[in-house]
Amino acid sequence: MSVSFNFSETETQQSVKAMVRDFAEKNIRPHIMEWDEAQYFPVELFKQLGELGLMGVLVPEEYGGSGLGYQEYVDIIVEVARVCGSIGLSLAAHNSLCTGHILAFANEEQKQKWLPKLATAEWIGAWGLTEANTGSDALRMMTTAVEDGDDYIINGAKNWITHGKSSDIAVVMVRTGEQGSSKGISAIVVERGTPGFTAGKKENKLGMRASETTEMIFDNCRVPKANLLGNVGEGFKQAMKVLDGGRISIAALALGIAKGAFDAAVAYSKQRQQFGQPISSFQAISFKLADMATEIEAAELLIRQAADLKNRHLPMTKESAMAKYFASEVSVRVATDAVQIFGGYGYTKDFPVEKFYRDSKLCTIGEGTSEIQKIVIAREVLSR
């Protein structure tokens, strides 16, 4: 199949980027280290993002969303992440995972009930797949949902959940069949306030510290069968499709972090004087910057390709995995080189690159490790 791509920026993209960049500079940058040090998740900021239509980027206008496409969505995540990875991560998790799952697999009544609240950030969303002992091995999850009349009774726990405490609603993958079976998992929506649904441990993380990561606990949590998304046994299949799109958002997150680190490194290299000249004039530094710039552009092209395929509803499992894998690894390399260019100052919290360095690493782990992406890519390549 021959596929052509056109990545020319539209007027909509330009105006969205300008709006997000202005918002991030005014409302996020002044608080970056304050939120990072305190591991503070700024719910009020996300309410503001909701007012701007950035919490329902892909949601059609009929459900209160912005009705934008994946190229605009990439732009939004990049512009936020080049200022603060934590806020970019939470924005991505809300849009791609919780909201994205409901948008893709809910029936009309469910969409009308939940999407308007999510799209406006009246409600913050969470998405629960991972458990303590089943990171990449999701088919062996222990959280169960047992039928009881018109309800399901959920028992178990989910770990590493973005907004696991502060969310108002969560899409939770539960075992309704045999352990290890791809048809033994279902997706159920659980609203905050449901008896038996509580938050557990909050993780003390290396980076992305302003993005809340906590445990979700279910203790005889009774949820109506009406909260089931799709049919019984479709949860794993749904989750894999959601992750296809989610990988694009994490790739965009990684790209934004890389761009932020690169911008800081370029500016510093022009200002920092050694031996009577700016360090950017030394080949050791300029070649680093050349490598960083090249890898960033290559990562963006992979991301734009995956986003274009997603917009056109074409298969993009391989492309999204490639984008996520490459962009996340580039983010770590660029952030590492940025710290090196700053030298000793790069190791201090007085300059921005140490935070980009800490934040970047999660991109190679969350929503499928780099190793899992290679498995996905290899499987797609070898299946031809």
Side-chain angles (χ1 to χ4, degrees):
M1 179 178 66
S2 177
V3 180
S4 61
F5 302 99
N6 180 4
F7 301 144
S8 299
E9 212 170 55
T10 65
E11 287 187 18
T12 299
Q13 281 183 266
Q14 291 172 356
S15 61
V16 167
K17 281 175 69 173
M19 181 263 288
V20 176
R21 189 173 296 169
D22 181 65
F23 179 87
E25 289 296 330
K26 291 179 179 176
N27 299 281
I28 299 176
R29 192 176 293 281
H31 307 288
I32 291 173
M33 292 312 297
E34 166 197 343
W35 293 340
D36 184 80
E37 293 283 338
Q39 292 202 87
Y40 175 70
F41 175 57
V43 175
E44 68 283 355
L45 177 81
F46 287 90
K47 302 295 184 183
Q48 291 178 275
L49 289 168
E51 291 173 5
L52 293 175
L54 301 180
M55 295 292 273
V57 178
L58 304 166
V59 176
E61 293 180 21
E62 63 188 283
Y63 301 115
S66 297
L68 297 173
Y70 258 77
Q71 299 293 4
E72 291 85 0
Y73 180 45
V74 167
D75 288 328
I76 290 165
I77 299 297
V78 167
E79 291 303 321
V80 171
R82 72 193 301 168
V83 174
C84 180
S86 295
I87 305 305
L89 173 62
S90 282
L91 190 63
H94 175 94
N95 275 283
S96 287
L97 299 182
C98 180
T99 306
H101 198 138
I102 292 171
L103 180 62
F105 297 106
N107 60 40
E108 186 59 30
E109 183 180 351
Q110 292 169 331
K111 289 179 181 179
Q112 294 284 355
K113 181 179 181 182
W114 293 315
L115 286 179
K117 292 180 179 180
L118 286 164
T120 57
E122 179 184 343
W123 281 9
I124 302 294
W127 193 76
L129 175 65
T130 305
E131 297 183 3
N133 296 314
T134 60
S136 299
D137 189 15
L139 289 177
R140 284 174 172 73
M141 67 175 60
M142 300 297 291
T143 300
T144 59
V146 178
E147 292 187 52
D148 184 40
D150 293 330
D151 300 325
Y152 283 107
I153 307 298
I154 303 177
N155 281 287
K158 296 292 179 178
N159 289 57
W160 303 104
I161 308 304
T162 305
H163 316 144
K165 179 180 179 181
S166 296
S167 60
D168 302 281
I169 183 174
V171 177
V172 185
M173 267 48 69
V174 295
R175 188 156 56 81
T176 50
E178 292 184 17
Q179 191 177 53
S181 170
S182 62
K183 296 182 180 178
I185 295 171
S186 302
I188 298 176
V189 172
V190 186
E191 296 181 13
R192 186 68 62 182
T194 303
F197 176 28
T198 57
K201 176 189 176 185
K202 179 178 178 180
E203 303 297 340
N204 186 7
K205 298 176 297 182
L206 168 72
M208 302 289 196
R209 290 167 61 83
S211 179
E212 176 188 279
T213 305
T214 57
E215 186 181 28
M216 293 194 303
I217 299 171
F218 304 92
D219 182 10
N220 290 319
C221 179
R222 183 177 291 271
V223 179
K225 284 185 177 178
N227 285 21
L228 177 74
L229 295 177
N231 298 314
V232 174
E234 293 181 346
F236 184 76
K237 183 179 177 182
Q238 292 176 7
M240 294 305 102
K241 288 184 178 178
V242 168
L243 286 173
D244 273 351
R247 286 173 184 139
I248 297 175
S249 67
I250 298 301
L253 174 69
L255 178 64
I257 291 170
K259 285 189 173 187
F262 177 71
D263 290 345
V266 169
Y268 183 79
S269 73
K270 291 178 178 179
Q271 297 165 3
R272 174 68 167 167
Q273 295 275 328
Q274 289 284 275
F275 306 103
Q277 55 189 311
I279 62 172
S280 60
S281 66
F282 300 128
Q283 198 173 78
I285 301 299
S286 64
F287 276 19
K288 272 192 192 299
L289 293 171
D291 286 339
M292 294 158 78
T294 301
E295 290 204 308
I296 285 171
E297 293 216 8
E300 181 152 16
L301 286 170
L302 282 172
I303 295 166
R304 295 296 177 185
Q305 173 183 247
D308 184 68
L309 292 170
K310 179 71 174 175
N311 273 344
R312 293 195 276 162
H313 308 289
L314 294 171
M316 35 67 76
T317 297
K318 178 187 63 138
E319 289 78 8
S320 67
M322 283 180 166
K324 199 271 187 188
Y325 165 54
F326 187 73
S328 63
E329 295 292 340
V330 164
S331 186
V332 172
R333 287 196 293 270
V334 168
T336 301
D337 282 345
V339 171
Q340 196 71 15
I341 288 170
F342 271 77
Y345 291 114
Y347 206 64
T348 72
K349 293 183 182 290
D350 296 327
F351 291 85
V353 289
E354 69 85 29
K355 183 175 181 298
F356 288 125
Y357 180 73
R358 288 186 290 110
D359 287 350
S360 66
K361 188 57 190 171
L362 183 69
C363 298
T364 70
I365 299 170
E367 291 195 36
T369 63
S370 290
E371 291 73 20
I372 289 294
Q373 305 312 315
K374 288 192 219 180
I375 290 173
V376 172
I377 295 164
R379 185 186 299 138
E380 291 291 312
V381 169
L382 294 171
S383 66
R384 293 178 178 179

